Amino acid sequence: MKYTVLLFYQYVEIAIPEIVQKTQRQLCERLHLKGRIIVAYNGINATVEGQDDSIEEYITEMKQDPRFADIVFKKSEGTGKALPKLQVRVRKDLVSDKTDEWGVDPHVVTGKYLTAEELHEWIHTEKKFYIMDMRNDYEHKSGQFLGSILPPIETFRDLPNVLPQLKQYDDRPIVTVCTGGIRCERASGLLIKHGFKDVYQLQDGIVTYMEKYPNEDFLGKLYVFDNRILMGFNTDSAEHKVIGKCESCGKSSEHYINCKNDNCHRHLIICEDCMNSD
């Protein structure tokens, strides 16, 4: 059996999120899908995994709802164990219950969309611009665009605190990038709100760029929030580069472990040799 992981989001008004919560749970249970689904007044955000035919049926049924008809579904190879259970929750905001305090509504202000093909062209021409990674700092340690700006963000809701450090990059167009696209909707709008002049966002996220241009400009593997931890395309090829470094010895590694410090709650890259020597 083959499995697919589906990643998607949609900013759209949902008057009664509890109704969508119920229908999503029933649909996923019927199709034996597991994953995390967030339903809020401002939309839906989800990662689900299931057998290929079940995923296709899920997409078909989702598109029958006019609110979700134009969702872009990002697919990647699953394991059957990437997501251990089904969670369908109602929250105040799609990304974080703290980021709604930024006063940025993606329906009102957000960065201009730049497709994977357009970003590829920008990278491979003489155009002057910055790629700004809006993921958490531990995420870009295993994979990142070559030459990208990596703000020291421990959690996404901390982004406003680092804005003063980013003002130096306002002399060129800025392209914000994140895993599937949803965080950039809010992050690019925040930059615009704080005076950044020419702000774009990578449409459909890093995962889409990697699929179209594997191992070309995004180096390493993409951190994902499921049991796979990392994902990539054509990672067995000679073009794949390991950019992760062991936090203990500095050796190249793509092996994440949970921090043993109870106050840490972070993923750290620790190579197998250092892990086994502990």
Side-chain angles (χ1 to χ4, degrees), residues 246 248-249 255-258 260 270-278:
C246 176
S248 179
C249 71
H255 184 258
Y256 275 93
I257 67 168
N258 288 317
K260 294 181 179 180
I270 301 293
C271 70
E272 287 84 349
D273 289 341
C274 289
M275 186 183 69
N276 294 331
S277 64
D278 188 356

Side-chain angles (χ1 to χ4, degrees), residues 3-187:
Y3 291 86
T4 295
V5 173
L6 203 63
L7 174 68
F8 68 91
Y9 74 91
Q10 179 83 328
Y11 275 103
V12 63
E13 182 180 350
I14 297 178
I16 308 177
E18 290 79 8
I19 294 178
V20 177
Q21 177 190 32
K22 180 179 179 180
T23 57
Q24 281 291 307
R25 181 178 290 115
Q26 291 173 341
L27 176 60
C28 290
E29 287 176 347
R30 176 165 60 84
L31 297 175
H32 306 290
L33 305 185
K34 296 179 181 179
R36 294 184 299 270
I37 301 175
I38 302 299
V39 186
Y41 291 102
N42 60 348
I44 186 170
N45 179 22
T47 305
V48 296
E49 180 185 40
Q51 294 182 28
D52 291 359
D53 55 349
S54 296
I55 288 292
E56 293 304 320
E57 186 174 346
Y58 177 83
I59 292 173
T60 299
E61 297 216 18
M62 284 288 288
K63 288 184 175 293
Q64 293 175 6
D65 188 324
R67 295 171 296 184
F68 308 139
D70 58 350
I71 287 178
V72 176
F73 293 95
K74 279 83 72 173
K75 300 178 183 177
S76 58
E77 184 178 353
T79 63
K81 298 179 181 179
L83 296 145
K85 60 184 178 180
L86 177 65
Q87 296 177 323
V88 188
R89 296 175 176 171
V90 171
R91 283 201 333 206
K92 187 167 62 173
D93 185 78
L94 282 190
V95 179
S96 166
D97 287 345
K98 295 294 184 181
T99 57
D100 67 329
E101 299 172 1
W102 298 356
V104 176
D105 182 351
H107 286 116
V108 178
V109 56
T110 193
K112 293 166 280 190
Y113 291 111
L114 198 70
T115 66
E117 293 83 359
E118 290 169 330
L119 178 56
H120 185 266
E121 181 180 353
W122 281 25
I123 291 174
H124 293 274
T125 62
E126 297 299 316
K127 186 172 181 65
K128 304 297 183 182
F129 69 101
Y130 298 113
I131 296 177
M132 191 171 289
D133 198 321
M134 291 302 177
R135 298 173 300 153
N136 302 328
D137 54 8
Y138 60 87
E139 295 178 65
H140 52 61
K141 288 184 177 180
S142 62
Q144 58 190 249
F145 279 97
L146 181 65
S148 57
I149 299 162
L150 308 172
I153 305 171
E154 289 191 14
T155 66
F156 184 59
R157 59 182 173 269
D158 294 334
L159 176 59
N161 299 331
V162 303
L163 287 181
Q165 303 175 42
L166 305 180
K167 287 298 292 183
Q168 61 181 304
Y169 302 109
D170 197 25
D171 60 321
R172 297 179 183 177
I174 292 172
V175 182
T176 62
V177 298
C178 50
T179 305
I182 188 168
R183 283 180 279 184
C184 286
E185 298 273 7
R186 187 66 59 83

Side-chain angles (χ1 to χ4, degrees), residues 213-216 220-221 232-242:
Y213 307 105
N215 305 310
E216 190 167 330
K221 289 185 178 180
F233 296 89
N234 300 339
T235 55
D236 293 332
S237 68
E239 289 76 20
H240 175 67
K241 294 180 176 61
V242 177

